[in-house]
Amino acid sequence: RPHKVPDHWLTRARRKSRMTQKALALALNIHPVSVNRWERGTRNPSLATIREIARILGMTVAELLDS
């Protein structure tokens, strides 16, 4: 049976902020598939995007990456 993959830092931070992938994507003006790929670890957001995600979620970049 497949093992559970630990939640990605973005997944934890987004859920803590009670935001859906779609809502985060809308706030970033990107396609929701991009958020899904980041959370699955198949792609990575740029540093500028990480800063914007932190701003949207109301936390510092350090808090975001430590979530």
Side-chain angles (χ1 to χ4, degrees):
R1 67 183 177 201
H3 65 283
K4 175 143 173 46
V5 176
D7 282 344
H8 191 273
W9 56 264
L10 179 54
T11 308
R12 290 190 303 270
R14 180 181 54 75
R15 287 179 178 161
K16 188 186 294 186
S17 296
R18 300 183 185 274
M19 201 170 217
T20 64
Q21 286 184 348
K22 184 175 181 178
L24 180 58
L26 285 170
L28 291 166
N29 198 29
I30 60 169
H31 198 280
V33 169
S34 296
V35 176
N36 183 271
R37 287 177 179 156
W38 297 337
E39 291 188 5
R40 287 192 340 242
T42 59
R43 297 271 191 271
N44 292 306
S46 67
L47 182 54
T49 301
I50 290 172
R51 287 184 182 124
E52 184 65 7
I53 292 168
R55 186 192 66 74
I56 290 166
L57 299 182
M59 53 183 70
T60 66
V61 171
E63 290 169 333
L64 174 64
L65 297 176
D66 285 339
S67 13

